[in-house]
Amino acid sequence: QVQLVESGGGLVQAGGSLRLSCAASGRPWSMGAMGWFRQAPGKEREFVAAISRSVGMTYYADDVKGRFTISKDNANNAVYLQMNSLKPEDTAVYSCAMGPVVGARRMEAYDYWGQGTQVTVSS
């Protein structure tokens, strides 16, 4: 089994930055891809970014492209999400996930999920 634990969420003003971390344990990186999703109150969970384990190819949702950066550290079994120029509409619970399909944007493509970390952006 794989366990994923997110950290780094918090309260930040609009225009600020946060860096989220996702630590994998158990059988880390047993699959080819890691992704970040978010769920705002009253909304469905949505894709944010994904990265491949091997070459580090990255994928982003259109509304975070240019502001968010996903990266990985295979040696430490970790994935990160650097979030810059944050907007109030970025407020959500952010969760990391692991799955076999590189670049997948659907939740169903991921097999393991973390509990999530709250990100709140004030205006």
Side-chain angles (χ1 to χ4, degrees):
Q1 287 293 336
V2 174
Q3 293 81 42
L4 303 175
V5 179
E6 303 92 340
S7 61
L11 174 64
V12 64
Q13 289 188 333
S17 299
L18 281 175
R19 186 187 192 220
L20 304 183
S21 299
C22 175
S25 61
R27 292 177 56 200
W29 279 114
S30 56
M31 296 184 175
M34 294 285 288
W36 284 97
F37 287 75
R38 67 186 181 186
Q39 186 169 21
K43 295 187 177 181
E44 294 187 352
R45 185 176 287 178
E46 63 178 5
F47 171 79
V48 175
I51 189 167
S52 66
R53 178 183 186 278
S54 56
V55 299
M57 189 170 294
T58 58
Y59 307 82
Y60 296 96
D62 287 342
D63 58 351
V64 306
K65 199 174 297 183
R67 299 189 297 123
F68 291 10
T69 301
I70 188 171
S71 60
K72 64 183 179 71
D73 182 347
N74 287 357
N76 291 306
N77 299 312
V79 174
Y80 307 99
L81 186 68
Q82 177 67 43
M83 305 186 295
N84 298 328
S85 302
L86 282 162
K87 305 175 182 179
E89 50 263 44
D90 294 319
T91 295
V93 175
Y94 285 70
S95 301
C96 66
M98 181 185 292
V101 181
V102 173
R105 296 171 183 255
R106 298 177 298 109
M107 291 187 296
E108 295 77 11
Y110 292 84
D111 294 328
Y112 299 102
W113 290 82
Q115 292 297 310
T117 185
Q118 176 70 47
V119 171
T120 303
V121 184
S122 63
S123 57

